[in-house]
Amino acid sequence: MGMDRNTVIGFVLIGMLLIGMFYINSKSSQEFQVQEKKKADSIAALAPKSDTNALKKDAKITDSILNAKKQLPTTFITDTVEQLTTIENDVLKVTFTNKGGQPKAIELKKFTTLDKKAVKLMAGDFNKLSYEFKTEGKTSKTSDIFFIKNENKVNADSSQSLTYSIKDSAGDVITHQFILPSPGKNGYMLDFNINLKNAASMVDQSIMNFLLQTEIPQIEKNLTYEKQQTHICYYYNGKYDFVQLGSGGNEKFDKPIDWLAINPQFFVSNLIAKNKFQSAELNWVTPADSLKIILQATANCRITVPANGVVPLQLYYGPNDYTILKKYNNEMGQIVTYGSGPFSFVKYINRHFLLPVWDFIRSNVASYGMVILLLTLLIRLITSPILYKSYLSGAKMKVLKPEVDALKAKFTDKSGSLDQQAFSMEQMKLWKSAGVSPLGGCLPALLQIPIFMSLYYFFQANIALRGESFLWAKDLAAYDSIYNFGNIPIISSVYGDHISLFTITATLTSLLISIYSMSSMQDNTNPVMKYMPYIFPVILLGVFNNLPAALTWYYTVSNTITLILQIVIQKYIINHEKILAQISENRKRPVKQNKLQERLAAMQESQKKIQDIKSKTTKK
């Protein structure tokens, strides 16, 4: 590292002796290293071959120590070897290293991977928490320095604290303090306090450039789907937002930002500044699938260092659970994707209705598959009045079908061409006279879309389903598979490498609903409408095959209940004779039209007259 002019002058004024000592110590160190290398080479020539990777690792550690010592003033006191310390509570196990005075590995004790190992949100050399500081004109990185471990104690509230420091003859120069909460008290949040003794001289303009590097390994069964569900989240300028992982990206924040989080589907790794970051820039890449890594992210954050030199940060490593996250009162609850894009409004349905109902049923039923069944049954019963109105409208249209067919025959010429405009006008008159609305069946169906989408998001984001089995599904949070046929070109890219039985049951029940509904359609001569019941389920077969088993099981149950309700309502509840009587009664009443309807009728009438004139002129 270079020195500025003022620093050089300062050293000259202090005395050439100190510089000479640095020079002599440096030369002696180099000579010593050369001699030691010669000895090592001689021994290595006689000894059996060693582990090359281990030697490289040892060399890397040695170089790191030497570089760190070169960067620091000789008055600073640090350690010389890496030492690991582990502290844990009921939910979190954190392994710290004195190299950089930072966490080295994070394990979530209550969550396991498919091979029954603890979920790790941090492991590997890429992960880093670091910042630069200046002393005597030299710039050093904390990640390169072996801190001295000061204390590891249990506090009065049962929380645990661990402190690392860099010292000089007068005491601590830099201190890193970590506090792990006591068991049972939202133990996923780790307090991280940085204390700089002479902050004004150690960072320029009281601004610390803080570096975060995070590597998230594959955790779930399907890496491709896990990447699709991974988000980069942040609370920026008083608002929450997120971006999809994609194939990599970059986000710049030039206004205050509270926190930056990586959300790999069911878990969260979050860096939080209690006093906000002034600005930040986040870059991330997605390594090749063969490496089994979701992403590598690097965040450069600028944070103001107060006069007392204390920078309070927090680190959250834990589940993406709304109930847990909302307790921290820092908007982290929004990380749970209960709705997004045009359906972002359904998150309120999920948070304030579905989640409480889910928790109630879950507390009384052991099987999560049965919980899904009961929740779906409840939702379908609540929405059954909407279904009834939809089916009632369909029944009215079915009663009028013979008359509509007669109108169609009336306005079809000898060549088989239908006068669509004249037919539509007369059809509207028929519906009006009978008191039937053509939108009567559409609007109730549209009202069900928010419920449908809220359940779609709810089951995808529900971490409680993770690792829970039901019937043949080993994990309701991942796709179920009854047969794996491996990678087949084209087919695997569209359908997947397996057969999901819940997807097949969801598709078949959807097909049955479509076929049954076809019988009550007024016009099934349209080729598009005729074949849509068969095309749509095939599309679902490809789309749903890689979705979580909880979602496809929900669709199966929902479709089955819908089909049963449809049959019961249409066969046993709707009174067709009563509908006929009501239509007859409606026809006796004068048809009232609003101004818009009157204008539309007048337009249709005028267009019909123009067409009649044109047809007469053509015949002449």
Side-chain angles (χ1 to χ4, degrees), residues 442 514-515 517-537:
C442 297
S514 299
I515 294 172
S517 300
M518 283 284 288
S519 61
S520 61
M521 281 184 63
Q522 183 175 342
D523 182 11
N524 56 9
T525 59
N526 187 319
V528 177
M529 297 304 296
K530 187 175 181 179
Y531 295 107
M532 183 57 72
Y534 307 102
I535 297 172
F536 185 64

Side-chain angles (χ1 to χ4, degrees), residues 163-345:
T163 306
Y164 291 101
S165 66
I166 299 174
K167 301 175 180 291
D168 63 9
S169 57
D172 295 337
V173 177
I174 298 176
T175 301
H176 289 180
Q177 182 191 47
F178 297 92
I179 301 175
L180 184 68
S182 58
K185 292 188 177 181
N186 296 332
Y188 295 104
M189 185 73 80
L190 190 67
D191 284 314
F192 175 25
N193 299 311
I194 301 172
N195 193 336
L196 306 180
K197 181 180 179 182
N198 299 308
S201 62
M202 299 181 81
V203 292
D204 292 333
Q205 300 177 346
S206 299
I207 298 295
M208 175 186 289
N209 293 307
F210 190 88
L211 173 68
L212 166 69
Q213 288 186 188
T214 301
E215 179 182 272
I216 305 293
Q218 178 183 352
I219 301 172
E220 308 303 332
K221 179 179 180 179
N222 187 341
L223 178 59
T224 301
Y225 185 74
E226 188 175 12
K227 285 184 176 182
Q228 292 172 359
Q229 298 300 312
T230 296
H231 301 137
I232 310 298
C233 312
Y234 45 85
Y235 196 73
Y236 169 59
N237 198 26
K239 294 180 181 179
Y240 169 78
D241 205 351
F242 73 92
V243 294
Q244 299 286 345
L245 176 66
S247 58
N250 169 270
E251 287 288 326
K252 293 183 179 181
F253 311 95
D254 55 5
K255 293 181 180 179
I257 180 168
D258 294 68
W259 45 260
L260 285 168
I262 309 298
N263 169 215
Q265 192 173 0
F266 290 121
F267 300 97
V268 178
S269 174
N270 196 356
L271 171 65
I272 305 156
K274 290 185 177 180
N275 297 330
K276 301 181 187 297
F277 296 111
Q278 272 195 0
S279 61
E281 181 175 359
L282 180 64
N283 298 277
W284 67 93
V285 296
T286 55
D289 289 353
S290 58
L291 298 176
K292 298 187 181 301
I293 294 173
I294 300 173
L295 85 161
Q296 291 179 329
T298 301
N300 291 283
C301 309
R302 289 166 55 85
I303 186 169
T304 301
V305 180
N308 63 4
V310 178
V311 178
L313 303 173
Q314 288 181 306
L315 302 168
Y316 177 86
Y317 300 103
N320 189 27
D321 188 321
Y322 179 75
T323 304
I324 293 173
L325 293 172
K326 71 175 183 178
K327 292 179 180 179
Y328 294 109
N329 298 317
N330 59 0
E331 302 298 331
M332 279 174 57
Q334 297 195 54
I335 295 176
V336 183
T337 311
Y338 277 152
S340 63
F343 297 104
S344 59
F345 67 93

Side-chain angles (χ1 to χ4, degrees), residues 14 33 94 138 260 298 303 378 408 445 518 531 566 578:
I14 292 172
Q33 289 177 45
V94 187
K138 296 182 178 182
L260 285 168
T298 301
I303 186 169
L378 176 63
K408 186 176 292 184
M518 283 284 288
Y531 295 107
Q566 189 171 352
K578 188 176 179 180

Side-chain angles (χ1 to χ4, degrees), residues 85-155:
T85 303
T86 300
I87 61 175
E88 57 187 296
N89 56 18
D90 57 328
V91 296
L92 205 62
K93 180 179 179 181
V94 187
T95 300
F96 293 90
T97 173
N98 65 328
K99 186 180 180 182
Q102 60 182 324
K104 187 180 182 69
I106 304 289
E107 290 186 11
L108 305 184
K109 297 171 66 174
K110 292 191 174 182
F111 299 92
T112 59
T113 58
L114 286 174
D115 54 1
K116 302 303 178 184
K117 295 180 181 179
V119 168
K120 292 184 178 181
L121 290 183
M122 178 186 287
D125 294 335
F126 182 84
N127 296 281
K128 186 183 296 184
L129 296 170
S130 181
Y131 57 92
E132 293 183 345
F133 64 94
K134 293 183 177 181
T135 50
E136 298 181 5
K138 296 182 178 182
T139 301
S140 305
K141 294 180 180 179
T142 56
S143 58
D144 295 332
I145 300 169
F146 290 90
F147 282 59
I148 295 173
K149 177 189 167 187
N150 285 348
E151 56 181 340
N152 179 15
K153 66 178 183 179
V154 178
N155 302 314

Side-chain angles (χ1 to χ4, degrees), residues 397-411:
M397 302 287 276
K398 190 174 182 180
V399 168
L400 294 173
K401 189 176 187 297
E403 297 182 54
V404 173
D405 290 342
L407 284 175
K408 186 176 292 184
K410 179 181 177 182
F411 291 102

